[in-house]
Amino acid sequence: MKFYTEEVLSKINNESINVVAATKYFNSTEMRDLFNTGITHFGENRIEALLEKKTDLADLDITWHHIGTLQTKKVKKVINEVSYLHSLDNLKLAMEVNKRRNEVIKCFIQVNISSEESKHGLNVNEVIPFLESIKDLEKIEVIGLMGMAELTSDEDVISTEFQKLNDLQIAIKNELDIELKELSIGMSNDYLIALKHNATFLRLGSVLFKKEV
Ligand SMILES: *Cc1c(COP(=O)(O)O)cnc(C)c1O
């Protein structure tokens, strides 16, 4: 598999942006090659795959992320294997993470910003009450917001959706006096737009191995 890491990083052109490779496309051998192109943050959706790949790549200094849906009943299998959780979106999940995790874990609250039908993520107006409801869970450190824009070529639609998170960051600062600086937005289709909306973590898959998507 040929990787286009260099091309992608030159377009991002900002070393403080964290590129998290979405590893669902890759097996362990491909991930080792990808690591050697300079990517050190890996985000997996499937628990079994994450555990297997982590074992295979134990000799590499990788930062592991869980991205995408995490079922409450599966928390205990994976929560101590990752440094970041990108998909915190309900109280039951938060309580289970808090119970099973040994140390503090950095979390993003997943927010449903797309107008597409989706079960995942809190609605924008649910985020502040949710933050209040989890504030005493000592293993959970909310560092930011995560969102997925609609899969469309219409840049205005994507921009409007990302802007919801920028507005929410301000509302959280005003109402709770909490500064959530990190933003996990931007995938292959829209990472350059995400950068204009203060993305700090990009979750990239296809663009790393397809010349342009
Ligand atoms: C697959 C995946 C990505 C990356 O997808 P691409 O469009 O291929 O860049 C990002 N986030 C999540 C949650 C994913 O499942």
Side-chain angles (χ1 to χ4, degrees):
M1 192 178 267
K2 173 158 173 42
F3 291 112
Y4 296 92
T5 307
E6 207 182 309
E7 287 85 342
V8 172
L9 292 182
S10 76
K11 281 190 192 168
I12 295 169
N13 194 24
N14 182 341
E15 283 180 7
S16 63
I17 304 289
N18 300 286
V19 174
V20 182
T23 58
K24 61 173 177 275
Y25 301 103
F26 311 122
N27 63 31
S28 301
T29 308
E30 290 160 343
M31 281 173 64
R32 185 175 290 277
D33 293 342
L34 183 56
F35 180 89
N36 288 330
T37 69
I39 304 276
T40 60
H41 287 260
F42 286 152
E44 180 57 62
N45 310 60
R46 294 158 306 159
I47 290 166
E48 287 72 22
L50 185 138
L51 298 177
E52 202 181 302
K53 290 166 173 174
K54 210 180 162 189
T55 305
D56 292 345
L57 304 173
D59 57 313
L60 305 180
D61 191 9
I62 292 170
T63 303
W64 293 92
H65 301 242
H66 189 280
I67 62 174
T69 318
L70 175 58
Q71 288 176 274
T72 302
K73 64 174 190 237
K74 296 200 171 160
V75 164
K76 71 169 182 279
K77 276 193 181 167
V78 75
I79 204 66
N80 288 301
E81 305 296 333
V82 295
S83 303
Y84 294 84
L85 173 62
H86 288 245
S87 50
L88 194 62
D89 67 356
N90 68 79
L91 185 57
K92 256 177 76 180
L93 177 61
M95 288 173 69
E96 181 68 5
V97 168
N98 193 60
K99 178 172 162 191
R100 302 292 182 182
R101 175 79 182 179
N102 298 329
E103 296 161 12
V104 173
I105 182 166
K106 294 179 163 64
C107 297
F108 291 90
I109 294 180
Q110 185 167 351
V111 187
N112 186 357
I113 53 172
S114 159
S115 39
E116 288 171 317
E117 194 61 41
S118 162
K119 307 185 288 297
H120 302 298
L122 290 167
N123 292 326
V124 168
N125 62 5
E126 295 172 322
V127 173
I128 288 177
F130 180 67
L131 276 168
E132 292 189 293
S133 73
I134 63 169
K135 70 174 189 300
D136 294 330
L137 301 181
E138 64 277 4
K139 302 286 174 54
I140 292 182
E141 181 191 358
V142 177
I143 61 164
L145 305 171
M146 179 275 204
M148 292 166 80
E150 189 177 327
L151 188 58
T152 169
S153 54
D154 187 335
E155 294 203 6
D156 292 337
V157 169
I158 295 169
S159 201
T160 302
E161 294 178 355
F162 287 154
Q163 184 61 37
K164 292 180 189 173
L165 294 182
N166 296 148
D167 295 342
L168 185 54
Q169 281 175 308
I170 294 168
I172 291 168
K173 172 80 178 102
N174 289 343
E175 288 191 37
L176 303 179
D177 201 23
I178 296 172
E179 225 165 320
L180 295 183
K181 292 213 184 85
E182 310 299 344
L183 271 189
S184 171
I185 53 173
M187 301 174 31
S188 295
N189 180 53
D190 55 24
Y191 68 102
L192 295 175
I193 306 169
L195 290 173
K196 295 184 194 158
H197 289 274
N198 312 322
T200 60
F201 286 75
L202 305 172
R203 305 177 320 276
L204 301 181
S206 348
V207 75
L208 294 171
F209 64 95
K210 290 184 188 153
K211 194 124 201 171
E212 257 315 329
V213 289

